[in-house]
Amino acid sequence: MILEALEREGVEVIFGYPGGANLPIYQHLPAHPRLRHVLVRHEQGAAHMADGYARATGRPGVAMATSGPGALNLVTGLATAFMDSVPMIAITGQVASRTVGTDAFQDVIGCTQSVTKHNYLVTKADDIPRIMAEAFHIATTGRPGPVLIDVCKDAQQAVGEWEYSSCSALPGYRPAYEPDADHAKKAIELLAQAKRPVILAGHGVILSHAEQELLEVAERSGTPVGTTLLGVGAFPTRHPLALHMTGFMGTGWNIKAVQNADVLMMVGMRIDDRVTAKLSEWAPKAEHFIHVDIDASEMGKNVRPHLEVVGDAKRSLTAMLPHVHPPPADRGAWLNQIDLWREEHPLKYSRSNGHLQPQDVLIDMYRRCQDEAIVVADVGQNQIWAALWWNYTKPGLFINSGGSGTMGFALPAAIGAKFGRPDKDVWCVAGEGGFVMTAQELSVAVEHQVGVKIVLLNNFSLGMVRQFQDDFYGGVRSQVDLTQMPDFLKLADAYGLPARRVHDFEEIEDQKAPGPFLTDFRIDPEANVYPIVPLGKGLNDFWELPNGA
């Protein structure tokens, strides 16, 4: 029943790991050759692969694990997908229903309630078709997210009636796709009346494929657009109206624009602390906050909007378009001011100490990608460098763990993305600290010859932690050195994939190998992320690269 339901829902790939409590499912897997199963080396890898697959394809990723620690190893990946609104189905085995609640194994339902959109405990085989259909409906509609199905072993081994139909509605579950037409019109009126408007776009724009509508609203209204970390790619970074990334590690001209805006429209974003920094000092000149989001519970959670537009980002922006008129004549002064801030606060980095700089590596990589490759970033300095120097014009190709900030995300997520989009080049950008957390999944890449190109930005430390300690904790470097790490060329060789080490920019070369390839870039160990807002401060206090650095 479970495997047939997956086929009915169009699933092509399962990332999983068998164990005693899910063997009845695996017993029947060979009879379903249309379902390609990828045996991961750790259940966390299964969750991240399913996540990367979903982000790259727009279809729900599927992960499977056994009971107890197998299921609990999925939790970090579930939390990552939940925070970033990624559709995923996790199917876990459970002990027999008569022993649930007797400490036979961990309470998976209780452990995952806070990191899933919904979860189910299946005790009867007859419930499986309905629950499978509901799970896919919940995971993929409204604000997407992961759904966990915990199936007791006696239910797996039972015989039941098979009748399957996809779910299209559930009592009490009514995602708000269509915005209020008057609210959408009012939002455009507020933008038109503004002297200094700004639009901030989040992951919701990418999830709803609203990039073209966002571009049209921005161009026709003459409104500059910035993006969140997860929204990078929602608006072309080379567009004249682009403010690039916002928040406490955003671009200087974005920060200046947000802090001086009189109307701020936020589309498909949570307005979290990494966007606002010190909340009481965020956007102090804004007379009107407009929040556009499919999730009504986000309204007023952190910032109370003056106008709420509850609806899907694409449909909301589409509803605004008929009311958009050319910007007023005085809008040019605002755009000229932003151009001046762009000149005064450009992205810059040190090139003076003779070391290989991470930005040089990424700029060269993006040049080779030519707006086509999927880039999956890990967490830490590598993630912010990859986001700030992103220069694509096409959306949906930059993937990272934004809400949860999960180190170890990039490698398995990149593998999942490549399984989902074999037509695309996929690059994995990671620091050595995060990379070793899930490096065992190199076995999967080699076994299936998944052509992921790994860019390892190796600075022999937990770089972001080291920077925070240097800048905000009195310069005391405590437990950040990673000098006793593997020789990554030997590690790659042990797993059976080619690799090389690069110390200088001149040594960088194209990697055309059909399978996985790892490049160990020995970057400047003192390279930092700039701009950055000191912890506890407001956006106006952002630091830039020190003079002479």
Side-chain angles (χ1 to χ4, degrees):
M1 288 182 177
I2 291 169
L3 297 172
E4 179 71 20
L6 293 178
E7 289 183 339
R8 294 285 188 95
E9 293 291 345
V11 172
E12 298 173 342
V13 185
I14 301 168
F15 304 96
Y17 204 97
N22 65 358
L23 284 182
I25 302 173
Y26 277 86
Q27 178 185 2
H28 293 276
L29 186 60
H32 293 265
R34 284 189 293 171
L35 295 173
R36 182 180 186 182
H37 184 277
V38 176
L39 177 62
V40 300
R41 301 314 190 252
H42 190 284
E43 292 89 353
Q44 182 179 343
H48 292 326
M49 288 182 200
D51 184 327
Y53 178 95
R55 297 195 205 212
T57 65
R59 303 189 300 273
V62 177
M64 291 205 307
T66 189
S67 60
L72 294 182
N73 283 341
L74 294 175
V75 169
T76 297
L78 289 171
T80 302
F82 180 68
M83 290 294 292
D84 292 352
S85 305
V86 178
M88 184 194 301
I89 304 294
I91 301 169
T92 54
Q94 183 54 275
V95 297
S97 57
R98 65 183 178 277
T99 56
V100 171
T102 65
D103 294 334
F105 251 172
Q106 286 91 338
D107 176 14
V108 175
I109 294 296
C111 289
T112 59
Q113 278 182 334
S114 65
V115 294
T116 54
K117 189 175 178 183
H118 194 60
N119 61 15
Y120 292 91
L121 175 64
V122 182
T123 59
K124 298 177 182 179
D126 287 341
D127 292 336
I128 290 174
R130 172 185 60 82
I131 287 174
M132 292 291 292
E134 288 180 6
F136 275 89
H137 178 64
I138 293 169
T140 57
T141 54
R143 181 178 181 173
V147 176
L148 179 132
I149 307 169
D150 196 34
V151 191
C152 290
K153 195 168 184 180
D154 52 334
Q156 295 176 46
Q157 294 172 313
V159 176
E161 293 296 324
W162 171 251
E163 184 177 340
Y164 192 84
S165 59
S166 295
C167 179
S168 59
L170 281 171
Y173 175 65
R174 299 181 182 87
Y177 288 106
E178 295 294 342
D180 182 285
D182 290 337
H183 287 192
K185 181 181 179 181
K186 180 65 174 176
I188 288 301
E189 289 175 351
L190 290 174
L191 280 183
Q193 295 165 11
K195 295 184 181 299
R196 304 182 306 278
V198 166
I199 297 173
L200 294 180
H203 196 204
V205 172
I206 294 172
L207 289 171
S208 65
H209 305 290
E211 298 88 356
Q212 183 59 39
E213 289 76 13
L214 174 65
L215 182 65
E216 289 185 31
V217 168
E219 289 182 337
R220 287 163 57 177
S221 67
T223 305
V225 179
T227 68
T228 65
L229 175 60
L230 280 171
V232 168
F235 195 82
T237 57
R238 287 173 283 186
H239 193 283
L241 292 171
L243 299 174
H244 210 327
M245 194 170 78
T246 196
F248 88 114
M249 292 183 184
T251 64
W253 68 93
N254 183 305
I255 291 173
K256 286 287 189 179
V258 168
Q259 293 299 89
N260 287 277
D262 60 353
V263 172
L264 197 54
M265 184 165 82
M266 302 151 290
V267 185
M269 56 181 284
R270 295 181 294 118
I271 321 177
D272 69 318
D273 61 315
R274 278 170 283 186
V275 164
T276 66
K278 188 176 181 179
L279 186 58
S280 62
E281 297 181 11
W282 185 65
K285 298 181 181 180
E287 299 170 7
H288 295 284
F289 290 115
I290 306 165
H291 195 181
V292 182
D293 202 280
I294 198 169
D295 187 351
S297 70
E298 290 294 343
M299 299 297 171
K301 188 176 75 175
N302 295 319
V303 174
R304 174 55 62 188
H306 301 91
L307 178 63
E308 300 176 1
V309 183
V310 179
D312 170 74
K314 187 180 185 75
R315 299 188 192 190
S316 298
L317 292 168
T318 299
M320 295 178 192
L321 279 171
H323 308 292
V324 180
H325 300 289
D330 60 355
R331 183 67 53 79
W334 173 234
L335 299 180
N336 288 338
Q337 177 61 67
I338 289 174
D339 286 340
L340 288 175
W341 284 328
R342 189 181 284 109
E343 294 176 6
E344 293 171 0
H345 305 282
L347 285 175
K348 53 187 176 181
Y349 60 97
S350 173
R351 300 180 179 86
S352 61
N353 59 10
H355 289 285
L356 178 63
Q357 298 301 319
Q359 295 90 342
D360 285 328
V361 174
L362 293 166
I363 290 169
D364 185 76
M365 182 191 76
Y366 288 138
R367 178 182 62 81
R368 297 172 192 270
C369 289
Q370 297 180 342
D371 281 19
E372 291 294 339
I374 293 172
V375 176
V376 185
D378 209 75
V379 169
Q381 289 178 317
N382 63 87
Q383 176 187 32
I384 305 303
W385 287 323
L388 287 177
W389 295 92
W390 179 263
N391 61 3
Y392 281 17
T393 59
K394 296 182 179 179
L397 298 175
F398 183 66
I399 295 172
N400 71 104
S401 168
S404 182
T406 304
M407 291 178 68
F409 169 81
L411 176 61
I415 292 172
K418 186 64 175 178
F419 271 109
R421 294 296 306 274
D423 58 310
K424 289 285 187 184
D425 289 338
V426 177
W427 294 70
C428 164
V429 177
E432 75 281 15
F435 180 75
V436 297
M437 291 186 175
T438 52
Q440 71 278 349
E441 304 307 336
L442 288 172
S443 290
V444 174
V446 173
E447 177 183 354
H448 297 275
Q449 281 300 289
V450 181
V452 171
K453 310 308 178 191
I454 301 164
V455 174
L456 194 63
L457 300 177
N458 188 349
N459 59 4
F460 302 99
S461 72
L462 298 173
M464 188 67 81
V465 182
R466 188 266 307 154
Q467 180 177 349
F468 281 10
Q469 289 181 346
D470 285 353
D471 290 346
F472 313 132
Y473 291 92
V476 177
R477 295 188 178 184
S478 176
Q479 301 301 310
V480 292
D481 291 333
L482 295 176
T483 52
Q484 294 303 314
M485 295 292 274
D487 181 321
F488 288 106
L489 270 61
K490 292 181 179 179
L491 180 68
D493 183 61
Y495 278 107
L497 74 154
R500 69 189 302 265
R501 181 170 292 123
V502 171
H503 294 88
D504 300 305
F505 183 77
E506 291 73 20
E507 298 173 359
I508 299 176
E509 59 185 43
D510 237 346
Q511 301 303 334
K512 296 296 186 182
F517 193 98
L518 183 149
T519 306
D520 178 13
F521 289 96
R522 296 298 178 88
I523 64 167
D524 182 358
E526 300 295 324
N528 284 335
V529 169
Y530 292 107
I532 189 170
V533 175
L535 301 178
K537 298 291 186 178
L539 289 186
N540 285 332
D541 298 312
F542 72 95
W543 293 359
E544 296 183 277
L545 181 72
N547 291 330

